[in-house]
Amino acid sequence: METDLDEKRAVTALAALAQETRLALFRLLVQAGPAGLPAGMIAERLAVQPSSLSFHLAQLVHAGLITQRRAGRQLIYSAEYSAMNALLVYLTENCCGRDAISAPLCDPAAGCCPATAAKTPAA
Amino acid sequence: METDLDEKRAVTALAALAQETRLALFRLLVQAGPAGLPAGMIAERLAVQPSSLSFHLAQLVHAGLITQRRAGRQLIYSAEYSAMNALLVYLTENCCGRDAISAPLCDPAAGCCPATAAKTPAA
DNA sequence: CCGGCAGTTCGACGATTGTTGAACTATGGA
DNA sequence: TCCATAGTTCAACAATCGTCGAACTGCCGG
């Protein structure tokens, strides 16, 4: 389902999220669901200047983490869940040397990586 | 298990990962498992200058994504899986307005968010 | 066609980031 | 004690980032 990321795309996505306003913005859209939110409402909720918001929205769009669509005079933004999932998977890829996994959470101490788990004395 | 993140800690973690060398470094450690790798071997594998590597290692340590321990003259670095998991959970928190979830992967089109899934016509 | 609202684009500024090489600290062996 | 190895710290530099205000574009109502 989600397209695999190469290193550069992953860096772009992470850089897009590595900023207070954009992280709050992205999470707002993740929580808003596929219906998304118009730019104006986002600006209001995050108390950000329109021009600044536009800048951040563009970064997230460029990173592929959100998408834009028009509804009358408003521009609606919504989270791109597949891109988010691809990023999560990329970060945890081959966790502890295992073969590919699809669900990213990884906890060696709890048996995520049987081969190496014994070497982690609950530290 | 994993400590919840506040916004600033999340931004720090994401910023730490939003750089080619550091992302490669982190993934290398994730794949290396809890045993970790000495700085020298990391430098060799990533073909990075020692002083530059030190800089990046420090950022990841500061972000809480990796930890350092000494073994003789070597400094061994290993991934902090709980921090990584906390970050993944933070990103997907309240996905589509749902209550907390523990496994981060989120796909509205596939029923992750029943209430809103119908509004996404396979677009 | 005109006014105005929703959002974006632009240029300029200060702040932060990543790199490099040289000097420094710490550990282990002889 | 002296030396070599493993890694870190420091200062300086170019490059990139985030913010601001002002000007701009696109869309709708009348």
Side-chain angles (χ1 to χ4, degrees):
Chain A
M1 172 76 58
E2 47 259 355
T3 329
D4 273 18
L5 262 57
D6 55 32
E7 176 155 358
K8 295 209 173 156
R9 290 188 77 76
V11 167
T12 303
L14 288 163
L17 295 171
Q19 207 278 338
E20 275 208 34
T21 301
R22 284 197 299 267
L23 181 55
L25 164 42
F26 178 71
R27 298 218 314 151
L28 184 60
L29 290 182
V30 164
Q31 293 168 22
L37 292 173
M41 178 164 292
I42 300 171
E44 187 183 329
R45 292 244 209 136
L46 300 181
V48 170
Q49 276 206 327
S51 95
S52 189
L53 178 65
S54 234
F55 172 76
H56 292 305
L57 285 167
Q59 303 250 334
L60 286 166
V61 168
H62 175 248
L65 288 166
I66 68 176
T67 50
Q68 182 192 65
R69 68 181 190 276
R70 183 172 281 278
R73 338 181 143 179
Q74 304 187 321
L75 286 176
I76 312 283
Y77 290 89
S78 46
E80 193 64 37
Y81 292 92
S82 61
M84 178 181 76
N85 290 338
L87 180 60
L88 304 190
V89 167
Y90 183 81
L91 284 177
T92 55
E93 210 165 67
N94 299 118
C95 156
C96 305
R98 302 186 316 163
D99 291 342
I101 50 175
S102 50
L105 284 187
C106 182
D107 184 0
C112 143
C113 309
T116 51
K119 297 177 185 168
T120 316
Chain B
M1 171 77 58
E2 46 260 355
T3 328
D4 273 17
L5 262 58
D6 55 33
E7 176 154 0
K8 293 208 174 157
R9 291 187 75 77
V11 167
T12 303
L14 289 163
L17 294 171
Q19 207 277 340
E20 275 208 33
T21 302
R22 286 197 298 267
L23 181 55
L25 164 41
F26 179 71
R27 297 218 315 150
L28 184 61
L29 290 182
V30 164
Q31 291 169 22
L37 292 172
M41 176 163 292
I42 299 171
E44 188 183 328
R45 293 244 210 136
L46 300 181
V48 170
Q49 277 204 326
S51 95
S52 190
L53 179 64
S54 234
F55 171 75
H56 291 306
L57 284 167
Q59 303 250 336
L60 286 166
V61 168
H62 175 248
L65 288 166
I66 67 176
T67 50
Q68 182 193 63
R69 67 181 191 277
R70 183 173 281 279
R73 358 178 128 176
Q74 304 187 321
L75 286 177
I76 312 283
Y77 289 88
S78 46
E80 193 65 37
Y81 292 92
S82 62
M84 178 182 75
N85 290 338
L87 180 60
L88 303 190
V89 168
Y90 183 80
L91 284 177
T92 55
E93 212 165 66
N94 299 118
C95 156
C96 306
R98 300 188 316 164
D99 290 342
I101 50 175
S102 50
L105 283 188
C106 183
D107 183 1
C112 146
C113 309
T116 51
K119 298 178 185 169
T120 318

